[in-house]
Amino acid sequence: MKSYHNNVKSVARDVHRFFYRTYDSIHINGPAIDLKNLQDAGLMITCTHRSMADYYLLGMFLHEMGIGNLRFAAGDNLTTLPIIGPKFRAFGAFTIERDSAFKRSYIKRLCDQVVAMIEDNDSVIVFPEGGRSYRGAMLDLKGGVLAAAVVAQARNPNKKIFILPVAFSYERVYELPYFTLLEKGKNYRKRNNALFKRWWGSVVYFGADIFAVAKLYLNYKSGRKQGDIFIDYSAPIPVSDVVDIKANYFPESKDEIFAHKNSIQVLGDTIRRKLIELYRLLPAHIVAWGIKQHPSLLINEIQQSLRGLITHLSRQNRNTGSLEPLSDEQVLGAGLQQLSFHNAVALQGDTLKILKPSIIDYYAAAI
């Protein structure tokens, strides 16, 4: 095993203890995976991105599953930080230069870098949305890193390259109250802005994350639980089962990535669909949607609309596993409890009062 695997192993117990003490429960749902089938194969893990906690939880989950030599795609906002950056890299993180992600030359270098990791039997973890979703809906997937799975399969046709889709769903995302500030800071930090604006953006961005982490740590020390976490995953998907690389190949293209453009698009669409299907819808999501559909905010009207929505979502192959066993009244009660944790709503007799519309919008956007 490699140095970054040993570094992950050295902190795995502490990470496990922190999260199982900080959250009420962590539910892991998915099929048994035969690791022998992955020993001589390439593996890319693709995951939704809702929280900075994703990095640690995903590493813990995969390590405990027995998957080693993990490499994490991480934005340069993390890997270039003093003290924190070197630690991230020591645990297997590799840098994604966010402001260069639109440059073809950079995408090609990044693709080659990730292909080399796959060929060296690293298990590559990517968050294809390219960042945390500040609004609650899944972001468009970035094809740069995903392209590496197609290119690796094309270069090594006799080696199986697998995709392992994973989705996280939190009852309470610890950064949620700070997402407005984080998004504002991120926009200010863009390279095309003036120097002072970029500097102020860094203050806002990192300050918001520091406050969020500090609050999470205080909750950990005080024993105030953060609700449940759900980790849903599917069986590993062979790239060769998703795309016909030879049939989609354009030999006269100007570079390797463009030659596989159709295969990369098909793979990206497949991963996006799978992640949406895996992402677990919780009572807070359903109730927030019901609130937005009923401006009167009458409790009875909201409750009466929930079952039809759950049935509709189930027929669309959405993950309603946490909703279907509950009665409409239980869904409403659990949803209001989850929203009340962030002081987003208050009950006034038979009517709701919205205190924080942005949090209602965040949960509703998952629908």
Side-chain angles (χ1 to χ4, degrees):
M1 288 295 181
K2 301 172 184 178
S3 61
Y4 34 87
H5 174 82
N6 292 327
N7 290 337
V8 169
K9 185 177 180 180
S10 70
V11 299
R13 184 176 297 178
D14 291 337
V15 172
H16 181 101
R17 181 168 57 247
F18 175 85
F19 280 105
Y20 276 90
R21 178 176 173 178
T22 304
Y23 291 84
D24 289 297
S25 187
I26 299 174
H27 308 269
I28 299 173
N29 306 277
I33 295 177
D34 186 355
L35 296 181
K36 291 180 181 179
N37 292 333
L38 302 178
Q39 283 181 351
D40 297 320
L43 181 62
M44 178 179 284
I45 300 98
T46 60
C47 186
T48 57
H49 202 8
R50 291 295 179 271
S51 169
M52 287 293 291
D54 297 343
Y55 288 103
Y56 306 96
L57 282 164
L58 186 56
M60 180 189 78
F61 159 62
L62 295 171
H63 176 77
E64 293 180 355
M65 185 185 285
I67 296 174
N69 295 331
L70 303 174
R71 301 299 307 271
F72 296 81
D76 50 7
N77 60 308
L78 286 176
T79 59
T80 59
L81 287 174
I83 302 175
I84 295 174
K87 286 186 177 296
F88 258 86
R89 296 195 298 272
F91 289 113
F94 63 95
T95 300
I96 304 292
E97 298 175 15
R98 289 182 172 179
D99 287 340
S100 299
F102 63 92
K103 297 178 181 177
R104 191 150 207 89
S105 59
Y106 172 71
I107 293 173
K108 187 178 185 304
R109 289 201 313 273
L110 177 63
C111 180
D112 287 339
Q113 180 186 5
V114 176
V115 170
M117 294 177 194
I118 293 173
E119 291 175 342
D120 198 32
N121 294 321
D122 287 335
S123 303
V124 180
I125 296 170
V126 301
F127 299 93
E129 293 170 272
R132 286 171 287 183
S133 172
Y134 297 135
R135 304 293 181 93
M138 183 173 290
L139 306 176
D140 291 336
L141 303 193
K142 309 299 188 293
V145 181
L146 296 180
V150 172
V151 172
Q153 186 65 85
R155 291 182 185 176
N156 303 273
N158 296 322
K159 180 175 183 174
K160 283 277 191 180
I161 308 296
F162 288 95
I163 302 292
L164 176 60
V166 183
F168 284 92
S169 188
Y170 299 81
E171 282 189 341
R172 301 162 187 169
V173 177
Y174 78 88
E175 305 104 309
L176 179 52
Y178 303 92
F179 274 166
T180 300
L181 281 175
L182 283 164
E183 187 173 28
K184 183 179 292 186
K186 182 179 179 179
N187 290 332
Y188 284 175
R189 294 179 73 238
K190 291 180 178 178
R191 289 183 183 177
N192 58 345
N193 289 326
L195 179 61
F196 177 78
K197 192 171 186 178
R198 297 202 308 270
W199 173 82
W200 179 242
S202 294
V203 171
V204 172
Y205 183 88
F206 292 111
D209 256 337
I210 288 169
F211 274 110
V213 170
K215 186 175 180 181
L216 178 69
Y217 182 74
L218 289 174
N219 286 342
Y220 162 75
K221 296 297 287 186
S222 66
R224 189 186 187 203
K225 297 289 190 177
Q226 292 288 126
D228 287 5
I229 299 173
F230 297 85
I231 304 175
D232 290 275
Y233 66 96
S234 75
I237 304 169
V239 171
S240 58
D241 285 3
V242 176
V243 295
D244 188 334
I245 291 176
K246 286 185 178 180
N248 290 333
Y249 183 70
F250 292 106
E252 297 178 1
S253 298
K254 55 187 176 182
D255 62 47
E256 192 174 20
I257 293 177
F258 201 85
H260 295 293
K261 181 179 179 180
N262 282 357
S263 291
I264 294 166
Q265 182 66 52
V266 171
L267 181 63
D269 291 344
T270 300
I271 292 171
R272 178 179 176 81
R273 183 168 59 252
K274 179 58 70 173
L275 291 177
I276 290 174
E277 290 174 355
L278 285 171
Y279 185 77
R280 184 173 291 257
L281 298 173
L282 303 175
H285 299 127
I286 301 298
V287 173
W289 179 264
I291 289 171
K292 288 182 68 66
Q293 300 308 304
H294 295 86
S296 67
L297 299 181
L298 292 173
I299 289 293
N300 286 342
E301 289 185 4
I302 295 169
Q303 181 174 311
Q304 288 169 8
S305 70
L306 300 182
R307 186 54 47 186
L309 176 59
I310 294 169
T311 301
H312 173 71
L313 292 167
S314 179
R315 288 173 179 168
Q316 290 185 322
N317 208 27
R318 299 294 300 276
N319 187 348
T320 56
S322 293
L323 301 168
E324 290 171 354
L326 304 179
S327 67
D328 296 349
E329 186 176 4
Q330 288 172 324
V331 171
L332 179 66
L336 292 178
Q337 184 181 39
Q338 290 165 14
L339 294 171
S340 296
F341 179 84
H342 293 298
N343 299 316
V345 294
L347 188 60
Q348 297 180 334
D350 295 330
T351 306
L352 278 179
K353 181 179 181 181
I354 298 177
L355 304 178
K356 295 181 180 179
S358 64
I359 290 179
I360 300 298
D361 291 344
Y362 176 89
Y363 280 103
I367 305 300

